[in-house]
Amino acid sequence: FFDSERLTGGMRYSRADDGSHSLTAQLDRLFLPPPDGQQSATETDPSQLPEMHIFVDRFSYLGLELGETRIEGYPRGDGFRIASVEANSPDFTLNARGDWVKDDSGERSDFDIVMTSESLGSLMHALDISSVLEGGQTVVRYDAWWPGPPAEFALAKLNGEMNFSVIQGTIINADAG
């Protein structure tokens, strides 16, 4: 059991006779801070990670409050499959799945991400983006990839295709005409 400012809850690691292993976590709180600007090279082979089943009541990743979050993943031949990330915050929901692959050419993360919100203005505020929008039911779909492991996610490294729709939003402080 852990009880700190950034991590509170329990984890269990187990290894089976066949060599498979798993990590199960039931956490009240998990706050992963934004990177400190220092690049850290990882020597982790994602295909050797344990199967993961993680539930967090209050999850914050890179300064973004994700709220109640469930993460399921498992190793595969050339990396790690994140089968499901489901997060529900007061401002939006996020669903994602993807792969972390490591081969001779390096590491790469590929994810399909869907974010929905009842208010684009609230979503942009939650993402710490200033907005002149109010309301607007929003759906954002992103087929994204970046070099490196999932933890090295950064807007500057992001590639992919994004589609979004906004219904019935208001641009505040706009003049008619």
Side-chain angles (χ1 to χ4, degrees):
F1 190 82
F2 300 91
D3 189 8
S4 71
E5 183 179 321
R6 292 188 181 158
L7 174 65
T8 302
M11 291 187 199
R12 186 181 74 229
Y13 174 80
S14 61
R15 180 176 289 278
D17 291 336
D18 66 2
S20 64
H21 51 143
S22 68
L23 175 71
T24 303
Q26 178 76 35
L27 306 172
D28 296 323
R29 171 177 59 237
L30 177 58
F31 297 157
L32 298 178
D36 61 7
Q38 308 244 343
Q39 283 284 28
S40 62
T42 64
E43 295 300 321
T44 301
D45 179 351
S47 68
Q48 299 302 308
L49 291 172
E51 184 175 305
M52 293 186 194
H53 309 279
I54 301 169
F55 178 80
V56 185
D57 282 330
R58 292 181 48 222
F59 184 39
S60 175
Y61 181 66
L62 303 177
L64 180 60
E65 297 294 330
L66 294 170
E68 186 177 280
T69 303
R70 180 178 306 278
I71 302 169
E72 302 283 338
Y74 55 90
R76 55 178 240 180
D78 62 348
F80 191 81
R81 162 83 29 99
I82 298 171
S84 174
V85 176
E86 299 172 3
N88 295 294
S89 82
D91 296 314
F92 63 92
T93 61
L94 177 137
N95 290 288
R97 68 176 189 267
D99 295 299
W100 170 17
V101 177
K102 185 174 184 177
D103 58 23
D104 293 339
S105 61
E107 294 179 75
R108 176 176 160 140
S109 296
D110 288 281
F111 280 83
D112 294 319
I113 303 165
V114 177
M115 294 177 72
T116 59
S117 177
E118 289 300 311
S119 168
L120 177 59
S122 296
L123 174 61
M124 293 182 77
H125 177 74
L127 296 173
D128 201 23
I129 301 171
S130 67
S131 174
V132 295
L133 300 170
E134 205 172 70
Q137 292 179 332
T138 304
V139 177
V140 178
R141 296 183 195 293
Y142 204 5
D143 181 8
W145 70 268
W146 58 93
E152 289 184 13
F153 172 88
L155 291 176
K157 294 170 60 172
L158 203 54
N159 300 281
E161 184 176 316
M162 180 172 64
N163 296 298
F164 66 93
S165 67
V166 180
I167 301 170
Q168 297 180 344
T170 303
I171 300 174
I172 53 178
N173 299 326
D175 295 325

